[in-house]
Structure formats: structure tokens, C-alpha cells
């Protein structure tokens, strides 16, 4: 197998040399052998580092980090920014920082930054709470919009008439669809949302949701990219089908935002949620976000109407009156440290084209699949990630019966992916900092591990 | 007025000299004139600083920070700890930190630390989400317990029988009581909880809740200390009265935890919530906590059953099965940066007796009221904080018609409290870092500001 090794390693070097995003790698703290000593430096060092990337990035003696789809690597700008937030903004200005340091408006300000990455115009995304909490807000909020619309005989956004206008009495909108292979928390929270709004919950495979949506469907909750298989679902087509049935759709963007263009506004998505600690590199448990399309905002009726979402929060009025716009999606006091770390982390996206990210992501996963095919004995692993580009996110999932042991050994050898029970090896490819040499090395080490522990696919 | 000034200033110096908690002040970053240059130093410097506290703490040329009831000052241990969390745990260990750095178990570990401060034995407090989100979990969870108990004819915790056992058919438990002067978010969220559980919401003055609770009451939600007036409500008596009526009580501890002993277990409280950024000094928007008494945990049925609360979260099972214990109160991925800042902040409580904190708190507020009486022209301000110790939290609220302008001027002169519309000057006293000289100076500056802008009470 020495021939393909050399060939693919050479190809990796060429791909890295031609990569228009490769300078971005220096904006992250990674285990490259040339950057260990200056990892705490800030962005001002980037230009210097760019000049010698070729010396060491390909050396392959650090860690290959392919778990950015679980926890993104540390952007180099974060440590200094957080030190300032803690030492000066909290430590010196203290309470004044809510205004003077822009803490109070951070959820909307950072939301707009994320909006640019998922195709949402300003004023529709707000940051805060966990993904799970945002799923609850989004699904309950969507059910209420669908039910209010059905009850009022109003027209849905796309101009089709609600059933009640067709001459027969409309059925109640009391069904929530959820994609069957959803990340579990979405299903658990959707079940709670269904229970608390008098709806039923029906799991349906994501590709079948367009066909399953019916006159009783209020909302469909769908993951844009499947967390296990890395399969990219059809956001434009599913959204259109859900709308045609008079229902709303909530997209979970956890595994797509920052890895590929989403186009929320362009495709008329109703609501969406996502986390920020995967491809957006916001840090462990960094706050999630909620998108409510502008057209729905006046009727977005949050099940968590905390004081931060009040029209006049410092009026401290006993009666609730919702704020206009994205702020209506806020709940309580935002977690400023985690939130401002996220804001600093998002600076790496300045000047980055989502299309360039998508192109590199597909090139990385294509190359990984080729390397695996070249290096790993046939039949030892099976890719459960779709081969077709239009159905692939930014990860590759390989199935093998001994996946748990294999991943543990891979991590010991410096190739970090993760294991999803019972038999999935997950490798995430973050276009901003993953190089083709990383990919080749990961496949090479994987092949070595698999060769030493012969096993079978599932 | 020079005589009382000199007398009270001397008394302040004596009180500070005799204060058993005064060494704790050096564990915070404050604007003392002798510590500006070494505020970023870590705890190892504390012993040195203690030796010259008397030189400068009383000099009064820094800021007097009396807004710790809104945002606690920065504990000196936090900057170095967060730098390590970001640089090493996130930057180097990355995904491994969920296990190796104890991230995954942080919500329960830190919860137990808070539990010690509010009188809860280990295993009953979990940290995460905002106070508002925790109010939602607690109120909905409590309603469900009350309703299940009523439906099943089970005995409440205190051994009294539910109504259904008395020979007549029990009325439904479908009423939520909330204290009328609650911090607004509790009322807004309680209203949502009522709407989503088929209950009605009835606001009642907190002191009247014991009398208002009835056979249809499921839950009473009460603030332990009123955020405006600083009034301390009767937790033992109200809890006992609510229990006698077969209902549950949820206490909001935002303005009491860290300022006075709470005694959750001792008084048989059912559920409680609180924030951590006031007297617990966790930092802006640091995560809140939820207490579910051990006896209720098996029936705590969260409306936000996120994957972190699953019995086997990494099993990624499609069906929800709740974890045992405090973890059942978790929802999504915890915000690790804010949470570990809180953990570091809580180290200042090591070796601190809650009774000593309470004694100093009362001495501080007593002394402030005396100084205000001595310095401020009679009738210019009116205290709305109860004079009786058993009804006072750790703040003093003064009413005057021009409170907004007065507070702005106070802040310009280095005395930081806050303003609550329409006419309240709020001063919070944090026993761990507020000294008696601070108190005397604050009253002195307040008197000067008021003398320059003659006005009337409300």
C-alpha cells in the first residue's frame, strides 16, 4: 500500500497549497508543531504565521482534530477577549457594562452575525439558552402560529389559503412531525411541546416528511444534517412541501451552520434553531440561537416569556407585553461570558464566503472517502454518509462493529473523531482549520488501527 | 453635621476592625486605592494584602460598590481559572475535557456547592439555564406533582391527607399563586406555566399567601426577598401553610442566597430557583440553579426534558427516560465558560459561616440606615425596607421622587447602587466585600447629593 500512500499524500499537499481558506487555520489554536509555543498569541500574529504554514502543518506529528462537529477548536482571538471581558468589563466597570460594554444588546448583535452565515437578514436571529430550550420555544411558537392561522382563516406566508377557506370546516392543526432519526433532544422536547399544546407527535424519516405532512400538521421539526450519518436533508424541498400543506417548519441547523450555506430567508424557512459550539467554534456549551422569520415575529408567542423579551424590560411591569423583533425570543439574563466568547469566535468568519466553505467541505469529505477506500481493506468499514454531494453535510460516518475500540485507539494515536453507539465512527471536517494532509493522515492511521484489529462491518 | 460625620466614621473604622469577614474583601477585585495595581493577582496574594487593608480601604477614594445585589464583584480567582479553562481545557484538551476536566458533571458538582449555602444536602441542586427557565421547570414540575398527588389520593410530604381522602371528591389542583410584587419574570413565566398546564394564576401579596392558599392551589411561587423593597418574606411559615393546604411551594432565592441562611431542607421547601450573579458573584448572566427536594425527585416531570436529563444521554435513544436525582433538572449542553467561572467564584465561600454573613449583613444595613438618618435631612428620603431584622434582606431601598437623577449623580461620585422605577434608590450590601466605611461614605455622599438637589419624597 505504499504507492497510494505516497500518491495521496502528494495530492494532499497540492490540495492544501491551492486551498483559498488555508490562511484561516492560523486563526485557531491547534496542535501544529510550529504553533505550540505561540498559541495564546492574538490575531495580529496571523500574517506572520501564514508564511510558514507549509513547514509544519503537513508534518503530521500533532493531533488531527476531526471532532469540530462536536466541539469546535479554540479561535485564537478568544483568550484575550475573554480576559478583557472578565478583568475590565466585569471586574472594573461591573454593572455599567450592561450598557457601556454592550452586554444588554449582545444576543441580537451576535444573532445578526450568525444570521449572515445562515442566510438570514438582520433582526431575525437571537442568541441565548441551549438548543433544547430553543427547540421548545420554536416548536411551541410554531404550533401557536399554525393554530392561530387555522382558527382565523388567515393566509399562510406563501399565499396558499388555509383549509378553512376551502368551504369545509378545517381540521385542527394538532400534529407535530419530527424526523425519525433526529438528535434525541429535539424529539424529547418536541414530545413535551406536543403534550403541552394538545398535539400529537409523529416521527417520520426526514426524506418522507414532504409526503407525510397533512392538513392536521401544525409543525415539522427537521434536522438539516443528521448527527449520526451526516446526511444533508432537502431544506428547500421539504420547506416548500410543508408550506403547501399549510404547516410551518422548524429546522435544526446544529450540524449545518458554519459548514454549508443554509439560505433561511431564500427558502422561506419559518423558524430555526442551532448550536454554536460545533462549526461556529463558540466554545463548550456556548449559547444557541433562534431564528424567527420576520413575517412570523408579530405572532410569535413564546412559551418562555422571560423579562428579557418584554417590550420594556426595565419598566418591571406586572403585565407581560412582548418586544418586537428578534428580542421576543429572549428569556432571561444572557450568559455574558459564554456569549462574548462566541462573539470573538465568530470573527474568524470575516471575509469568508459560505460557498468557499461548502466547496472545501465537500473536497475534504470526498478526499477522506477516497483515502479510506485506498487504505482500508475492503469491507472493513462501511460509509453511512451519502456519496451524493447534495445529500452530504460536513462529516463522514463509518460503520464498523468495533467502532468504540477503534475510536479509542485512534484518539490514542492523535486522530480525534468520536464514537456514536452502537457502531459509528464519526469524523467532522471543519473547512476553516482542517487541511487535506490532516485528512490523509487520519485515513492512514485509521487503516493501521483497523489492520491491527481485524473485524467486520456491524 | 460635622459631629455625626466624625462619630460615625470612627464607628465605621471600629466596626471594620472587628469584622470577622473583612479578610474576604481581598479575595475580590475592588477599586480600593491600594489594590488597583495588583487586581489581576490571584489568591496567593491575599495574605499580603490583608496586612495593609487598614491603610486604604477606609480612604474612600475608590468606588463604593453597593450593586452586588444586581451584579456581584469579580472574585480574584476567576481570571486565572477561566484562562486555564479556555486555553488548556478547551484549547488543548478540547472534546476530552467533557470527561477529563469534569465539564459533564459540573452542573451537579457546582449545584452541591450552592446547596451548602442554601441549606440543601447534596444531590438536590443543579446549575444551568437562566432563572426564568428554571422558574418554568419548577412551576410546571410542581403543578404536575400536585396534580398527580391529588389524582392519586396520595399523601403530601408532611403527612396530611389530600382532599380526596376526606370523603368528598377533591377539587382539581388548578391554581397557581404568585407573590404580587414578584420580580416580573417570575410572574410572566408563571402565567405561561399556568396557561400550558390548564391552571389559573392569582397574584397575592407574599405575606398573604399563607392565608390565600386553598384546596385548588397547586403551587405558590414566592420570592424570598423582594427585589425592590428588600423585604424578607417568611419562608418557614409560608411553606408550612402551603403544605397544610396540600400544595407545593417554589421559592425564588435570587435576592437571598449568599446573603442570609435559607434552610431549604430544614424548612421542607419543595422546589427553589435562584440566580448566581448577585450575592454569589458568578459573573454576568452566570447560570441559575434549580432545587428539587429529594422526596419529589422521582415524580419531578420536567417540561424541558432535554438530552442532558436523560438516564443514558449517550445512548441517544429515541424514547425519553429521565435520570434520577438532580440531573433530571438539566436540559441541554451546559454553558461551560460561565459555569466554571461561577465555580471559581464560589471558592470565596470556603470557611464562611452563613450565620456570620447574616450577622454582618444586618449590621451593615442597620448602620446604613443610621447614617442616612444622621446625614440626610428628615423627609428627604423614605426607607421602604422593613426596620425589623426578620423582615429585611441584605439591601436598603430608599424612596424619593427624583431617584433617577439622584442615583446618576451618586454613580458619578463613585457610589454605585441602582435605580428602580419610578422612585427607588437601591443599595445592596454584600457582607463578603462591603465594609462599614463604605457604608458611611455612601450615606455621606448621598446626603451631599440630596442637599444639592432639594426634592421631596415621592
Amino acid at each position: 500500500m505504499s504507492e497510494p500512500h505516497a500518491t495521496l499524500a502528494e495530492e494532499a499537499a497540492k490540495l492544501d497549497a491551492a486551498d483559498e481558506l488555508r490562511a484561516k487555520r492560523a486563526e485557531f489554536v491547534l496542535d501544529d508543531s510550529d504553533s505550540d509555543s505561540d498559541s495564546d498569541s492574538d490575531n495580529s500574529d496571523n500574517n506572520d504565521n501564514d508564511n510558514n504554514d507549509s513547514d509544519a502543518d503537513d508534518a503530521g506529528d500533532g493531533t488531527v482534530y476531526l471532532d469540530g462537529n462536536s466541539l469546535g477548536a479554540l479561535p485564537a482571538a478568544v483568550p484575550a477577549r475573554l480576559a478583557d471581558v472578565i478583568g475590565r468589563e466585569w471586574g472594573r466597570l461591573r454593572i455599567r457594562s450592561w450598557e457601556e460594554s454592550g452586554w444588554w444588546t449582545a444576543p441580537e448583535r451576535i444573532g445578526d452575525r450568525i444570521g449572515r452565515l445562515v442566510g438570514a437578514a438582520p433582526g431575525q436571529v437571537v442568541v441565548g439558552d441551549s438548543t433544547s430550550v430553543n427547540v421548545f420555544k420554536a416548536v411551541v411558537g410554531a404550533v401557536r402560529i399554525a393554530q392561530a392561522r387555522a382558527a382565523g382563516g388567515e393566509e399562510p406566508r406563501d399565499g396558499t389559503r388555509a383549509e378553512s377557506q376551502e368551504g369545509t370546516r378545517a381540521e385542527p392543526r394538532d400534529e407535530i412531525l419530527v424526523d425519525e432519526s433526529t438528535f434525541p433532544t429535539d424529539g424529547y422536547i418536541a414530545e413535551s411541546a406536543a403534550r403541552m399544546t394538545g398535539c400529537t407527535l409523529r416521527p417520520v424519516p426526514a426524506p418522507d416528511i414532504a409526503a407525510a405532512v397533512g392538513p392536521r400538521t401544525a409543525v415539522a421539526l427537521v434536522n438539516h444534517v443528521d448527527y449520526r450519518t451526516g446526511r444533508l436533508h432537502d431544506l428547500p424541498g421539504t420547506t416548500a412541501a410543508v408550506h403547501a400543506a399549510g404547516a410551518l417548519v422548524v429546522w435544526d441547523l446544529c450540524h449545518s451552520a458554519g459548514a454549508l450555506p443554509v439560505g433561511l430567508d431564500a427558502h422561506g424557512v419559518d423558524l430555526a434553531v442551532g448550536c454554536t459550539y460545533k462549526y461556529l467554534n463558540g466554545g463548550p456549551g456556548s449559547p444557541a440561537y433562534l431564528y424567527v422569520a420576520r413575517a412570523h415575529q408579530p405572532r410569535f408567542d413564546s412559551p418562555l416569556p422571560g423579562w428579557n423579551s418584554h417590550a420594556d424590560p426595565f419598566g418591571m411591569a406586572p403585565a407581560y407585553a412582548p418586544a418586537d423583533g428578534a428580542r421576543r425570543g429572549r428569556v432571561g439574563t444572557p450568559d455574558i461570558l459564554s456569549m462574548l466568547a462566541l462573539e470573538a469566535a465568530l470573527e474568524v468568519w470575516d471575509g469568508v464566503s459560505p460557498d468557499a466553505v461548502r466547496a472545501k467541505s465537500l473536497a475534504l469529505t470526498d478526499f477522506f472517502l477516497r483515502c479510506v477506500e485506498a487504505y482500508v481493506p475492503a469491507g472493513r468499514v462501511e460509509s453511512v454518509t451519502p456519496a451524493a454531494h447534495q445529500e452530504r453535510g460536513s462529516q463522514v460516518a463509518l460503520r464498523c462493529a468495533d467502532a468504540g475500540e477503534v475510536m479509542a485507539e485512534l484518539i490514542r494515536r492523535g486522530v480525534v473523531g468520536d464514537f456514536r453507539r452502537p457502531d459509528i465512527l464519526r469524523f467532522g471536517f471543519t473547512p476553516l482549520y482542517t487541511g487535506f494532509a490532516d485528512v490523509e493522515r487520519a485515513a492512514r492511521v485509521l487503516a493501521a488501527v483497523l489492520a491491527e484489529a481485524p473485524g467486520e462491518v456491524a
Side-chain angles (χ1 to χ4, degrees), chain A residues 14-378:
Chain A
K14 283 179 194 158
L15 288 165
D16 277 325
D19 172 16
E20 64 172 291
L21 292 173
R22 79 180 307 226
K24 283 285 161 188
R25 184 180 178 108
E27 295 183 32
F28 291 86
V29 175
L30 293 168
D31 297 329
D32 300 333
S33 53
D34 67 334
S35 62
D36 267 310
S37 60
D38 62 5
S39 61
D40 291 327
S41 63
D42 64 30
N43 276 341
S44 62
D45 291 337
N46 289 343
N47 291 334
D48 297 336
N49 286 344
D50 290 349
N51 297 334
N52 56 20
D53 265 350
S54 57
D55 301 341
D57 280 355
D58 303 348
D61 50 355
T63 296
V64 175
Y65 189 65
L66 300 179
D67 208 11
N69 54 333
S70 187
L71 175 65
L74 171 64
V78 170
R81 174 68 182 121
L82 255 283
D84 186 56
V85 169
I86 294 171
R88 186 179 57 85
E89 295 185 2
W90 173 15
R92 296 289 165 190
L93 298 177
R94 286 184 286 259
I95 195 72
R96 291 163 51 189
S97 276
W98 281 107
E99 291 225 354
E100 293 178 28
S101 302
W103 289 356
W104 179 258
T105 52
E108 295 83 46
R109 182 176 72 242
I110 303 170
D112 282 347
R113 230 182 218 280
I114 292 170
R116 288 196 289 276
L117 301 177
V118 293
Q124 301 176 103
V125 177
V126 68
V127 175
D129 305 306
S130 65
T131 306
S132 299
V133 169
N134 282 297
V135 168
F136 188 74
K137 295 180 213 169
V139 172
V140 172
V143 166
R144 288 174 172 174
I145 292 169
Q147 291 182 342
R149 205 161 66 178
E154 296 172 47
E155 293 190 4
R157 294 176 68 196
D158 62 357
T160 62
R161 286 183 170 277
E163 296 297 309
S164 59
Q165 299 299 295
E166 303 293 333
T168 57
R169 185 174 169 76
E171 293 180 274
R173 292 275 176 186
D174 60 1
E175 177 188 70
I176 299 171
L177 302 182
V178 63
D179 77 90
E180 194 175 69
S181 61
T182 182
F183 183 75
T185 212
D186 298 55
Y188 306 157
I189 295 288
E191 187 174 23
S192 176
R195 171 183 176 188
M196 299 189 81
T197 55
C199 290
T200 56
L201 181 69
R202 181 155 65 104
V204 174
D208 301 342
I209 282 180
V213 62
R216 295 189 67 150
T217 306
V219 183
L221 169 64
V222 200
N223 288 261
H224 195 194
V225 170
D226 186 284
Y227 79 101
R228 287 179 81 251
T229 65
R231 179 168 181 171
L232 173 65
H233 295 127
D234 176 12
L235 184 144
T238 303
T239 300
V242 170
H243 286 175
L248 283 79
V249 65
V250 177
W251 285 96
D252 180 332
L253 310 178
C254 284
H255 287 270
S256 60
L260 49 93
V262 176
L264 290 177
D265 288 348
H267 301 301
V269 167
D270 301 294
L271 295 98
V273 301
C275 77
T276 62
Y277 45 76
K278 300 181 189 292
Y279 298 105
L280 299 180
N281 313 299
S286 54
Y289 57 90
L290 172 70
Y291 164 88
V292 180
R294 192 175 303 282
H296 288 308
Q297 287 176 351
R299 279 187 301 194
F300 176 68
D301 179 7
S302 175
L304 294 170
W307 75 292
N308 270 229
S309 72
H310 195 283
D312 180 19
F314 292 96
M316 306 274 168
Y320 181 72
D324 289 335
R327 193 159 65 77
R328 191 176 290 197
R330 285 172 65 167
V331 185
T333 304
D335 51 344
I336 291 300
L337 303 191
S338 292
M339 190 163 291
L340 299 188
L342 166 62
E343 185 170 37
L346 290 171
E347 289 171 11
V348 302
W349 293 94
D350 289 349
V352 172
S353 143
D355 290 331
V357 169
R358 175 61 169 162
K360 183 175 172 188
S361 163
L362 288 170
L364 287 166
T365 51
D366 275 345
F367 190 62
F368 183 66
L369 288 166
R370 275 180 57 209
C371 291
V372 168
E373 189 173 338
Y375 296 170
V376 174

Side-chain angles (χ1 to χ4, degrees), chain A residues 228-229 376 379-385 396-403 406 420 422-427 450 456-458:
Chain A
R228 287 179 81 251
T229 65
V376 174
R380 184 65 177 82
V381 298
E382 172 190 58
S383 172
V384 298
T385 298
V396 170
L398 303 176
R399 200 159 66 88
C400 70
D402 50 348
V406 168
R420 284 293 174 262
D423 56 4
I424 295 289
L425 299 166
R426 255 188 5 164
F427 301 95
L450 291 169
E456 286 172 19
V457 174

